[in-house]
Amino acid sequence: MIIPDWLTYNLLFSGILYYWIQGDILHSLLSGLVGGMLFLIPALLGQVGMGDVKWFAGIGAWTTISFVLMSFVFATVIGFFHIIGLLFWKRVVQQRKYCEIRNEPVPYAVSLGIGIIVATYVANTGMVTLSI
């Protein structure tokens, strides 16, 4: 349930450093900012952890704004089915009462990671043209 800081900060700062050396630091900063802001409000409301915010900001620092948005959409859809599947498993298979499971945390990083992988596949196969 915890994405380590050493992973997220290294991802974020190495992306910014790489694009700074390439002379396109503004691109990295904007993409990282968009990535982090997508999860900041849910994090402040306690729906996701700050590790998710930092991880997605790091993904943004290495990629483009359009890739970040596409990853977010895929992660949201995958997260929906992940939660429905967990709820089904706990209610039907384990036969637990809803009041027992409704406040149990769900690791969103799993859905986020799969969403990033799917977005990478879609971008690399040319199904979607990413420009920003």
Side-chain angles (χ1 to χ4, degrees):
M1 294 287 296
I2 294 177
I3 302 173
D5 284 342
W6 65 266
L7 178 66
T8 57
Y9 285 131
N10 282 330
L11 183 66
L12 178 61
F13 294 131
S14 64
I16 292 170
L17 179 64
Y18 174 79
Y19 281 104
W20 180 50
I21 292 170
Q22 296 295 321
D24 196 13
I25 191 169
L26 183 61
H27 162 265
S28 181
L29 291 173
L30 286 175
S31 297
L33 181 66
V34 168
M37 293 303 289
L38 284 171
F39 285 100
L40 184 60
I41 292 174
L44 294 176
L45 295 174
Q47 301 303 309
V48 297
M50 288 304 290
D52 297 321
V53 175
K54 293 179 283 187
W55 186 26
F56 218 57
I59 294 297
W62 274 102
T63 61
T64 63
I65 294 173
S66 57
F67 181 84
V68 167
L69 295 174
M70 185 170 56
S71 298
F72 178 74
V73 169
F74 284 130
T76 302
V77 172
I78 291 166
F80 171 77
F81 288 109
H82 180 207
I83 290 171
I84 296 298
L86 280 175
L87 184 61
F88 176 80
W89 176 262
K90 291 177 180 181
R91 284 283 294 134
V92 175
V93 176
Q94 293 180 342
Q95 296 182 348
R96 295 172 60 194
K97 294 181 180 178
Y98 179 73
C99 62
E100 296 173 3
I101 61 174
R102 70 177 173 201
N103 291 326
E104 290 181 3
V106 176
Y108 190 67
V110 173
S111 303
L112 188 57
I114 295 170
I116 292 167
I117 291 169
V118 171
T120 302
Y121 175 78
V122 168
N124 286 336
T125 57
M127 292 181 192
V128 174
T129 304
L130 301 178
S131 60
I132 297 176

